[in-house]
């Protein structure tokens, strides 16, 4: 039986990057996915927007939904302040195993907590099992039809405080119409769209950046 795409990505990382160098890991994955085999990483073009958001926000607690091969996990964790922590949820055991190897290769295992499980099961448990108060940044990049239900779950569990940022990948391609409608029309969010392209292609895509304003929202009831 042949290898899987995540296994081939891990091999490319081990072959073309330096242990302990997150930047070289990110570059090795981008290089592989640009020239050898496309994969659903946020990629280098949208990745620069992610970098800017992280550097501006300086989040101390980050939640990522959908680890896949830990490309964005490594990219984000690399830019976090020393005391910051990133929790990433991945329910596919094979992907999670590859992601763990890539996180360790990058030397970021101290900053990143990879949980193997479904967002719907784990979001309600994060407060008591990991002593999380609230998240400063949530990066949504899992199944596109789960962005909205998981956002509502985060609200319900009190895991967002005013000023928290939701950064959502793929709001154009494959698209997350119900999520976009919600964050753009709810008084609980101030939302803005960062136009870009689908990773490693010329297709239109972009990131939605939504600031949580609080459950009461501002003014409008
Ligand atoms: C639902 N709760 C969940 N809890 C934990 N992990 C979850 C998860 N849902 C999905 N996952 C995991 O996240 C990953 C899923 C990501 C889904 N992403 C996409 O479908 C996607 C798809 C495209 C894409 C775009 C164009 C195209 F032609 C083909 C694909 C581009 C992207 O950037 C994408 O992010 C997997 O590793 C999966 O096991
Ligand atoms: Mg994506």
């Amino acid at each position: 039986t042949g290898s899987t795409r995540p296994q081939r990505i891990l091999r490319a990382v081990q072959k073309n990057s330096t242990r302990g160098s997150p930047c070289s890991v990110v570059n090795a994955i981008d290089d592989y996915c640009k020239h050898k085999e496309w994969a659903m990483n946020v990629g280098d073009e949208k990745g620069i927007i992610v970098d800017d958001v992280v550097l501006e926000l300086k989040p101390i607690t980050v939640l990522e939904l959908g680890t896949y091969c830990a490309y964005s996990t490594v990219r984000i964790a690399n830019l976090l302040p020393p005391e910051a922590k990133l929790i990433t949820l991945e329910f596919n055991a094979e992907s999670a195993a590859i992601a763990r190897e890539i996180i360790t290769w990058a030397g970021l295992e101290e900053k990143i907590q990879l949980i193997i499980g479904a967002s719907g099961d784990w979001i309600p448990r994060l407060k008591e099992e990991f002593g999380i108060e609230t998240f400063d940044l949530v990066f949504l990049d899992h199944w596109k039809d789960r962005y909205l239900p998981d956002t509502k779950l985060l609200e319900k569990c009190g895991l967002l405080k005013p000023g928290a940022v939701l950064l959502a990948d793929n709001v154009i391609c494959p698209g997350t119409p119900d999520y976009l409608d919600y964050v753009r029309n709810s008084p609980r969010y101030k939302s803005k769209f960062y136009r870009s392209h689908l990773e490693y292609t010329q297709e239109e895509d972009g990131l939605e950046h939504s600031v949580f304003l609080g459950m009461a929202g501002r003014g409008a009831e």
Side-chain angles (χ1 to χ4, degrees):
T1 59
S3 63
T4 65
R5 189 170 315 195
Q7 283 170 331
R8 294 191 291 271
I9 289 172
L10 170 60
R11 205 166 51 231
V13 164
Q14 292 167 332
K15 181 163 169 281
N16 307 317
S17 76
T18 311
R19 255 188 197 286
S21 160
C23 292
S24 73
V25 168
V26 166
N27 292 335
I29 296 174
D30 281 331
D31 204 59
Y32 179 76
C33 294
K34 226 177 268 184
H35 303 115
K36 299 286 187 330
E37 179 179 26
W38 188 91
M40 60 183 177
N41 316 118
V42 75
D44 51 341
E45 189 182 325
K46 287 184 287 180
I48 290 169
I49 300 167
V50 174
D51 294 350
D52 292 347
V53 169
V54 173
L55 290 168
E56 165 81 18
L57 189 64
K58 299 185 178 57
I60 302 299
T61 54
V62 181
L63 175 64
E64 175 181 62
L65 304 178
T67 317
Y68 187 47
C69 294
Y71 172 92
S72 46
T73 323
V74 165
R75 187 163 189 139
I76 293 168
N78 181 42
L79 298 177
L80 295 178
E83 71 285 5
K85 292 281 177 227
L86 186 157
I87 293 181
T88 184
L89 305 182
E90 173 54 61
F91 64 8
N92 178 298
E94 285 77 40
S95 289
I98 297 295
R100 201 177 296 285
E101 296 249 13
I102 290 176
I103 289 163
T104 303
W105 180 274
L108 288 168
E109 59 273 38
E110 293 307 307
K111 271 186 183 301
I112 297 164
Q113 171 96 33
L114 168 57
I115 299 174
I116 304 182
S119 53
D121 299 338
W122 274 93
I123 286 171
R125 296 166 60 182
L126 294 176
K127 273 190 189 264
E128 91 243 22
E129 305 229 4
F130 293 92
I132 296 285
E133 283 292 300
T134 55
F135 287 105
D136 301 316
L137 173 66
V138 181
F139 182 59
L140 300 94
D141 196 18
H142 58 332
W143 291 160
K144 306 315 161 194
D145 61 355
R146 297 293 308 176
Y147 284 24
L148 182 53
D150 284 347
T151 295
K152 291 184 170 175
L153 188 56
L154 286 163
E155 290 175 1
K156 178 173 132 322
C157 297
L159 284 163
L160 302 176
K161 69 170 182 263
V165 169
L166 302 185
L167 189 62
D169 190 26
N170 311 118
V171 296
I172 303 299
C173 176
T176 63
D178 59 344
Y179 173 80
L180 272 192
D181 183 54
Y182 181 70
V183 291
R184 290 178 174 175
N185 297 302
S186 164
R188 294 178 184 165
Y189 295 91
K190 176 91 184 79
S191 210
K192 67 185 169 192
F193 175 62
Y194 288 91
R195 185 193 178 99
S196 185
H197 294 96
L198 176 68
E199 50 267 26
Y200 319 119
T201 77
Q202 307 288 318
E203 297 300 308
E204 296 289 304
D205 191 17
L207 300 163
E208 190 78 1
H209 177 287
S210 308
V211 181
F212 182 62
L213 303 174
M215 288 309 270
R218 213 187 286 266
E221 269 314 314

